[in-house]
Amino acid sequence: MDRIRIVGGRPLEGVIPIGGAKNAALPLMIASLLTRETVTLHNVPRLSDVRSLMRILGNHGVDAAISGKRLGQAEDAGDTITLSARDIVDTTAPYELVSKMRASFWVVAPLLARMGEARVSLPGGCAIGTRPVDLLIMALEKLGAEIEIEGGYVVAKTKNGLRGGEIVFPKVTVGGTHTALMAATLADGTTVIDNAAQEPEVTDLADCLIKMGARITGAGTSRIVVEGVSRLGGAHHTVLPDRIETGTYAMAAAMTGGDVLLQGARADLLQSAFDVLARVGVEISENRDGVRIRRNGGGIAPVDVTTEPFPGFPTDLQAQFMALMTRADGTSHIRETIFENRFMHVQELARLGARIRLDGDTAVVEGARALKGAPVMATDLRASVSLVIGGLAAEGETMVNRVYHLDRGFEALEKKLVRCGAEIERISGER
Ligand code: EPZ
């Protein structure tokens, strides 16, 4: 298995290109199951999750192809992927595939909406929590699906197609909202989704569905209304920039005391995190090319943060922010309200010398300690990258193990950091 070696202590300085959002690309790819026509996605990040989903969709009969590079295209430009679900050959998503990537469970919605049936393995828990799918099932039932759990599979059927309905989510769920949105586009009549997730990735999916012929209003608010249509067509869509990648590099620059331009980033996609960084003492400015992050000389102020659904502070930046707070001039409190077990990085940051105490859903971080390099290992994507950030600021050598987590969500991580002066390299291991 590959490892990443970092020698810390250098400020990041330069330009970091921000790729397309993983968490938008995945539902957009799944939406291609809703139509016989071709959906073309631009700015798709080169990530192992994208490759895995291409294989999963292939199993349902989707022809997926990545276009070659175009003359004059920037080196860091994302991929263009064409997806054609002309004939769906299989409505089963097996355990072997769904257990590798939770988001693939969402295929249940387009398969059911278009084919009237779907058999999709329950995804199971993962390192950050139990992560049930009860609300996704509830949403499909509200649209008239008959659902049973058989042998670890969700078996969903409709007799005469889905019907519009009222879905009120008792808790904000991104996957639930994606599922409801995709299913409702082909349902007969009007669907109202209340307490919908307002994440930019939901809006991006809705924008693409609208290009495909769906009739959707209110995406990006807590109430989405969908008028069902009888069929959807193809579309071209550009995936929005990755706000979590943006926030991650912003924290890395803040932690190392650097000055970076996050090229192609959009500040409006993570205003809450930037507000927090401004309170920490980081200078943030937006221009035509992206967002510039600077912390030259000044200290890091401790700031308390609570994770919340969008537009609140994202859970996907909690680990990275915790790494930053280990260097703050005082104590900060970081409360995780989205997932019950998303503190796996605490033990590993402690290996770098951080002093963090867990008190229920809150991590109490005692800052101002110098970090020292160490071998570390993490159990999920965002936790892994928090260790990279820690390593960049730590004295001496940090070795990050289980790099495959990083490859699920960060394209060309070492390359982007090396270009900004970091001493970081990948060490290939046996497979
Ligand atoms: C999405 O996961 C993201 N994944 C996650 O990013 C992100 O952390 C999460 O949203 C929250 O922002 C993708 O977009 C692929 P949820 P999702 O449904 O949709 C509970 C990353 O690192 N819940 O919004 O699975 C759930 O347990 C990943 O890129 C139920 O109780 O998250 C959680 O507590 C990790 N029942 C809360 O809702 C359900 O049926 C929010 O989860 C569904 C969810």
Side-chain angles (χ1 to χ4, degrees), residues 336-349:
E336 172 60 56
T337 68
I338 308 293
F339 293 110
E340 79 267 28
N341 190 29
R342 208 172 196 181
F343 282 133
M344 305 296 274
H345 41 284
V346 168
Q347 286 301 326
E348 298 301 304
L349 286 171

Side-chain angles (χ1 to χ4, degrees), residues 400-413:
V400 184
N401 294 292
R402 295 203 184 161
V403 167
Y404 61 86
H405 286 299
L406 286 170
D407 294 336
R408 295 186 64 170
F410 290 93
E411 179 178 340
L413 177 92

Side-chain angles (χ1 to χ4, degrees), residues 22-23 131-135 173-175 316 338-339 342 382:
K22 167 183 82 88
N23 289 349
R131 304 188 74 184
V133 288
D134 55 320
L135 301 178
T173 154
V174 174
D316 289 346
I338 308 293
F339 293 110
R342 208 172 196 181
R382 312 303 176 186

